Amino acid sequence: MTSVPLDHDAAAATAHQDRPPRHLTVAAGQLGPISATEPRESVVDRLIHLLEQAHRAGAELIAFPELALTTFFPRWYVEGDPALNLDSFYETEMPGPATRPLFDRAVELGVGFALGYAELTPDGHRYNTQILVERDGTIVGHYRKVHLPGHREHEPWREFQHLERRYFEKGDGFATWNAFGGVIGMATCNDRRWPETYRVLALQGAELILIGYNTPKHYAPDPSQNPLQGFHNRLVMQAGAYQNGCYVIGVAKGGVEEGVDSLAESCIIGPSGMILAECRTEADEVITVEIDLAVTAKYKETLFDFERYRRPEVYGPITAQRGAIPPKD
Ligand code: ING
């Protein structure tokens, strides 16, 4: 039983006083398709071009998509052991020879970035990974995707596969980092659909959450959702932002990639839940917004004052159960 301090209503109820501003100009670096044969060096050139464009617009941080260095290879079932056939899609060092130019250019321009890629560890573990790199080129954050969607075995009935559960292991949790003058959290793609993602990050102080995604517009288990992909994308990130008093950047690799039409619609969302900027194309595109991280306090210190209003003592089922347990008759 979690002991919760007594109610805080004794605290004086006064209008929220604005905090000193903490401005940060952020960008989403959306990617169009990456073909299976596009060399890493070519993709890195595209990322550098987006980073330079963001820098010209004053950005100090740019978020790149999930698996931003390669095509979304989990759409294919590859016979035999994944370790034997798919290694070319994984990074064994970061930065490596192909990605070092991105780090070098970022340091030259003083722009930090978040980058999603497939990670193969020295001891043979595979993750859908995202890193946070500060403006001096230091990797300050390292996140491995927690919620792996799709399936593990070949399902030939599908137009294309979604084998993340075959090609990646689950990450072991969410973390936040002090960087860029605030508290930054990261999540990846399917993570954005689960409210726990935002709440666990916000309970660790997150003020800005960076989320890369690759989302096919066709959802094989229920195609009735296909026309709602854009709505669901905005819905979950806007809700997550508002309910946790956070800025959220959702950044896509979109367009028709190896025959699979994928959602673009990258956007930057404020703690009000309002969309502050959104991409208009399904190609490489940069959007930037000068945000004020101090504005998060308007929500975190009023409506969503966790310490004052949350009731963890009644939230037990959220961590005690995995699936739903309906009431007995
Ligand atoms: N992609 C998807 C996502 O959650 C998916 C999985 C595909 C959901 C299609 C809905 C429709 O956005 C990843 N990579 O998690």
Side-chain angles (χ1 to χ4, degrees):
M1 180 69 170
T2 312
S3 67
V4 179
L6 288 177
D7 206 328
H8 285 250
D9 269 345
T14 54
H16 178 266
Q17 304 302 311
D18 285 355
R19 298 277 176 225
R22 285 184 287 135
H23 293 294
L24 178 67
T25 300
V26 297
Q30 174 178 287
L31 283 171
I34 298 177
S35 74
T37 55
E38 180 166 1
R40 283 241 195 340
E41 291 73 12
S42 161
V43 177
V44 167
D45 282 347
R46 289 166 58 183
L47 294 170
I48 290 172
H49 177 73
L50 293 170
L51 184 136
E52 291 171 339
Q53 191 180 340
H55 176 255
R56 286 195 295 275
E60 300 156 272
L61 167 60
I62 181 168
F64 291 122
E66 172 190 31
L67 296 179
L69 297 174
T70 67
T71 198
F72 188 77
F73 61 88
R75 67 168 64 91
W76 296 305
Y77 175 73
V78 178
E79 287 295 339
D81 180 347
L84 302 178
N85 305 295
L86 294 165
D87 280 2
S88 67
F89 290 115
Y90 292 79
E91 310 303 317
T92 54
E93 50 182 332
M94 184 53 68
T99 46
R100 167 57 66 191
L102 173 63
F103 280 69
D104 291 347
R105 188 63 174 137
V107 170
E108 277 171 27
L109 298 178
V111 178
F113 60 93
L115 180 73
Y117 62 92
E119 176 189 11
L120 172 58
T121 66
D123 52 352
H125 294 283
R126 298 162 186 274
Y127 299 100
N128 188 339
T129 294
Q130 226 173 260
I131 54 171
L132 181 65
V133 182
E134 250 288 12
R135 290 155 286 193
D136 63 356
T138 310
I139 298 178
V140 296
H142 183 271
Y143 168 70
R144 291 163 170 165
K145 185 173 182 178
V146 162
H147 297 97
L148 295 176
H151 48 105
R152 179 178 167 73
E153 302 307 324
H154 188 205
E155 296 184 1
W157 60 270
R158 293 171 179 256
E159 284 174 48
F160 49 86
Q161 305 297 296
H162 199 108
L163 287 161
E164 290 192 62
R165 299 174 78 90
R166 184 181 186 83
Y167 299 146
F168 300 120
E169 296 171 51
K170 291 181 288 227
D172 56 12
F174 297 104
T176 57
W177 300 277
N178 292 310
F180 300 94
V183 181
I184 313 294
M186 291 195 288
T188 302
C189 205
N190 195 251
D191 289 328
R192 76 190 187 286
R193 300 180 191 276
W194 300 93
E196 294 89 344
T197 299
Y198 305 89
R199 185 50 50 89
V200 168
L201 287 169
L203 285 168
Q204 299 175 79
E207 298 171 315
L208 169 62
I209 300 172
L210 311 175
I211 308 177
Y213 60 88
N214 287 228
T215 298
K217 292 178 185 176
H218 175 62
Y219 184 55
D222 176 17
S224 76
Q225 296 180 32
N226 293 4
L228 302 175
Q229 290 296 358
F231 166 65
H232 287 156
N233 184 52
R234 289 184 298 277
L235 175 68
V236 292
M237 293 195 290
Q238 287 180 265
Y242 166 63
Q243 290 169 334
N244 295 280
C246 291
Y247 287 92
V248 171
I249 301 180
V251 55
K253 170 147 56 73
V256 180
E257 183 178 271
E258 295 290 341
V260 175
D261 193 1
S262 302
L263 183 73
E265 303 189 22
S266 306
C267 56
I268 299 172
I269 299 166
S272 66
M274 295 296 284
I275 292 177
L276 307 176
E278 52 189 341
C279 285
R280 290 177 304 281
T281 73
E282 295 195 325
D284 293 13
E285 180 181 349
V286 171
I287 50 175
T288 57
V289 175
E290 183 187 33
I291 67 175
D292 176 1
L293 291 166
V295 166
T296 58
K298 289 177 176 291
Y299 292 85
K300 291 177 186 286
E301 295 178 3
T302 59
L303 259 175
F304 298 110
D305 178 342
F306 289 167
E307 189 58 43
R308 186 171 186 184
Y309 294 119
R310 287 187 70 245
R311 299 284 314 283
E313 71 276 15
V314 304
Y315 302 157
I318 290 179
T319 56
Q321 296 171 215
R322 187 186 306 278
I325 302 173
K328 298 193 180 355
D329 290 335

